[in-house]
């Protein structure tokens, strides 16, 4: 509307531009239709430089429980996610594979998929993902993909994937010692044998029946 000579007015305008990470410029122009005669038309524009910011989700680590996943069993991976960007954002879906050798695509379903909410800039969150299949005995690769649906604009989408190598194992039972009582058994008599059994593997398991002759 009309503005008196020497007067000022403050207007609030909400805009939703396509903001790029890094340098951006807000530009405002008054009398944009150039309909009002003025003493100077060259000063009708104003620009303001600002830095665009976006979230940037990365997986910083994963801890296993049990520490050595059992072959043909399941395990829990506690995954730590950090927003290392300069703006908060919704992490979307976290997809986790117990053993995945190839890179997943956007929208891929993990062995387990977890939804997690907004994460502030610089903040981290630990998410426990249970019932991951360990597979058979041997070398395996845990693979994690944050924002697995690729729905959240980020400063860097190329760092959303995380891998951790591990090796599955089995139990391994061994009789490590036998002590007789008496030490020299009597012929045609009976004696006691004290046996020490050790599981020298990396997985707890049922030793089953112990047979002694």
């Amino acid at each position: 509307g009309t503005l008196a000579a020497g007067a000022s007015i403050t207007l609030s305008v909400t805009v939703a531009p396509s903001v790029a990470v890094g340098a951006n410029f807000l530009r405002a122009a008054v009398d944009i239709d150039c309909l009002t005669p003025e003493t100077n038309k060259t000063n009708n524009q104003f620009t303001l430089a600002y830095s665009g910011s976006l979230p940037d989700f990365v997986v910083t680590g994963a801890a296993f429980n049990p520490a050595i996943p059992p072959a043909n069993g399941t395990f829990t991976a506690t995954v730590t996610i950090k927003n290392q960007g300069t703006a908060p954002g919704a992490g979307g879906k976290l997809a986790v594979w117990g053993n995945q050798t190839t890179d997943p695509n956007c929208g891929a379903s993990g062995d387990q998929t977890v939804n997690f909410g907004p994460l502030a800039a610089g903040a981290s969150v630990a998410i426990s993902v249970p019932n991951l299949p360990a597979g058979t005995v041997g070398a395996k690769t845990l693979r994690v993909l944050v924002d697995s649906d690729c729905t959240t604009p980020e400063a860097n989408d190329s760092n959303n994937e995380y891998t951790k190598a591990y090796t599955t194992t089995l139990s391994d039972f061994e009789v490590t010692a036998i002590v007789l009582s008496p030490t020299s058994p009597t012929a045609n008599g009976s004696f006691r044998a004290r046996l020490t059994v050790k599981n020298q593997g990396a997985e707890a398991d049922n030793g089953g029946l112990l047979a002694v002759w």
Side-chain angles (χ1 to χ4, degrees):
T2 302
L3 195 59
S8 297
I9 187 172
T10 300
L11 304 175
S12 294
V13 182
T14 300
V15 295
S18 177
V19 177
V21 178
N24 290 265
F25 296 91
L26 177 75
R27 190 178 297 273
V30 65
D31 186 28
I32 189 64
D33 289 333
C34 302
L35 297 178
T36 301
E38 298 181 67
T39 58
N40 184 1
K41 282 291 188 183
T42 63
N43 58 3
N44 284 17
Q45 291 195 38
F46 179 88
T47 58
L48 176 68
Y50 66 95
S51 178
S53 60
L54 287 173
D56 184 17
F57 299 106
V58 294
V59 178
T60 58
F64 293 165
N65 184 22
I68 301 177
N72 305 313
T74 61
F75 66 102
T76 295
T78 299
V79 179
T80 301
I81 302 164
K82 181 177 182 178
N83 178 1
Q84 65 179 14
T86 54
K93 292 183 178 180
L94 176 73
V96 184
W97 292 262
N99 181 42
Q100 175 75 11
T101 57
T102 59
D103 293 335
N105 296 319
C106 289
S109 297
D111 294 325
Q112 297 289 343
T113 302
V114 180
N115 289 309
F116 71 99
L119 197 58
S124 296
V125 64
I127 298 177
S128 291
V129 183
N131 300 319
L132 295 170
T136 57
V137 177
K140 300 289 183 289
T141 301
L142 175 87
R143 194 173 295 270
V144 181
L145 183 62
V146 65
D147 186 30
S148 60
D149 282 343
C150 305
T151 56
T152 300
E154 296 185 61
N156 184 1
D157 277 319
S158 66
N159 57 4
N160 285 13
E161 192 175 329
Y162 172 88
T163 60
K164 181 175 181 177
Y166 67 96
T167 302
T168 58
T169 60
L170 291 171
S171 57
D172 184 10
F173 296 103
E174 179 184 19
V175 178
T176 60
I178 300 177
V179 177
L180 303 183
S181 178
T183 54
S184 297
T186 303
N188 301 315
S190 62
F191 64 98
R192 180 183 298 274
R194 182 179 298 274
L195 301 96
T196 301
V197 180
K198 180 180 180 179
N199 178 1
Q200 62 182 8
E203 178 188 357
D205 210 342
N206 184 348
L209 295 175
L210 176 69
V212 183
W213 294 263

